[in-house]
């Protein structure tokens, strides 16, 4: 029973982060579905760099929140699951089947980056700010 009590908050954080990641994907990338055709005939997109940067920057807040509260695994798995699910849903209408490679890349990239960012946040929060000793505690008499 104790183990279940410890597991429920962790799973709740993971589910919330997955839903947040899914919602942020929809907000930043979900509405842009068409490739841009340049005057020379080449195509780009459908996403612009500012959309991806916005998605990453807005995901930092929930990842920071979870990692600073020692929910590192939930942060990593929740964000990865949310982004992977969103990419799969968004790209699954591709008839070539190559969207699976892109979804795999989203999964691997979000897993690695979120793990690194969460580890840094958790280690910085664990150490806390370094304080110098009060002036009265100095031994050199200054």
């Amino acid at each position: 029973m104790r183990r279940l009590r410890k597991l429920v908050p962790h799973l709740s954080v993971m589910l919330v982060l997955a839903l947040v990641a899914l919602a942020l994907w929809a907000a930043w990338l979900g509405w842009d579905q068409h490739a841009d055709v340049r005057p020379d005939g080449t195509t780009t997109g459908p996403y612009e760099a500012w959309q991806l940067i916005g998605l990453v920057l807005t995901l930092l807040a929930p990842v920071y929140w979870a990692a600073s509260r020692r929910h590192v695994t939930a942060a990593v798995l929740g964000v990865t699951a949310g982004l992977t699910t969103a990419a799969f849903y968004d790209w699954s209408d591709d008839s070539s089947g190559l969207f699976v490679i892109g979804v795999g890349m989203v999964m691997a990239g979000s897993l690695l980056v979120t793990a690194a960012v969460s580890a840094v946040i958790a280690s910085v929060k664990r150490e806390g700010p370094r304080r110098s000793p009060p002036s009265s505690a100095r031994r050199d008499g200054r």
Side-chain angles (χ1 to χ4, degrees):
M1 192 64 158
R2 274 187 182 164
R3 189 173 180 152
L4 185 60
R5 283 189 197 145
K6 288 184 178 183
L7 189 60
V8 169
H10 190 72
L11 290 174
S12 299
V13 169
M14 192 180 331
L15 179 63
V16 166
L17 287 174
L19 293 173
V20 166
L22 200 112
L24 288 174
W25 177 288
W28 285 102
L29 306 177
W31 54 270
D32 196 358
Q33 299 295 318
H34 301 288
D36 300 321
V37 180
R38 294 185 178 164
D40 64 356
T42 59
T43 59
T44 62
Y47 312 123
E48 298 291 331
W50 65 267
Q51 290 172 286
L52 296 171
I53 292 167
L55 174 63
V56 170
L57 291 177
T58 53
L59 277 171
L60 283 176
V63 168
Y64 176 84
W65 176 84
S68 65
R69 285 161 178 75
R70 299 182 188 250
H71 293 290
V72 174
T73 306
V76 173
L77 295 179
V79 169
T80 301
L83 291 179
T84 303
T85 302
F88 185 86
Y89 179 79
D90 198 13
W91 299 340
S92 63
D93 60 350
D94 178 31
S95 61
S96 70
L98 292 175
F99 75 94
V100 176
I101 294 170
V103 170
M105 291 173 71
V106 167
M107 182 179 65
S110 61
L111 183 70
L112 290 172
V113 171
T114 309
V117 169
S118 296
V120 168
I121 291 168
S123 68
V124 167
K125 290 298 279 188
R126 190 175 312 123
E127 290 177 13
R130 297 181 188 254
R131 296 181 182 166
S132 61
S135 60
S136 62
R138 291 185 183 170
R139 294 182 185 195
D140 61 358
R142 286 191 236 171

